[in-house]
Amino acid sequence: MQFAFVEQERFLSETVFPEGGCENDHTKDCCAHGPFKLKEIYAIKGRRYQQRVDSGTGKKYQCDKRFSEALEKLSQLGELPIEVNEDGFVLYGYK
């Protein structure tokens, strides 16, 4: 995923954000961007596809399972300012 923060409003380098990385109104020091308050997030971008390798054949393929799961969980939160496109999604904190 990629984060854009309020001060810059541009997406930074892609980073892995682990499950359990949030605590109350802030994050733990668990990604390349260090700890930050959730209110500092302008937007979050998530990719649709991840490259996977079939363990039986060794063939590489594009998988959108995590993308679909993320959208399903986000939809359970109610109406959100989210844009979905062919590359992934952008969830806005401020727009």
Side-chain angles (χ1 to χ4, degrees), residues 48-63:
R48 180 178 295 265
Y49 298 106
Q50 290 183 302
Q51 187 166 321
R52 297 283 188 207
V53 178
D54 183 300
S55 60
T57 65
K59 184 178 178 180
K60 294 179 182 179
Y61 66 97
Q62 298 292 326
C63 178

Side-chain angles (χ1 to χ4, degrees), residues 3-43:
F3 290 97
F5 294 100
V6 173
E7 291 181 9
Q8 300 159 339
E9 295 185 17
R10 67 175 175 81
F11 287 104
L12 303 177
S13 60
E14 196 166 32
T15 187
V16 175
F17 193 84
E19 190 171 327
C22 291
E23 198 171 274
N24 299 320
D25 67 343
H26 62 281
T27 65
K28 300 174 184 176
D29 191 6
C30 59
C31 72
H33 308 308
F36 51 87
K37 292 190 178 287
L38 298 179
K39 69 180 182 179
E40 296 172 1
I41 299 172
Y42 175 74

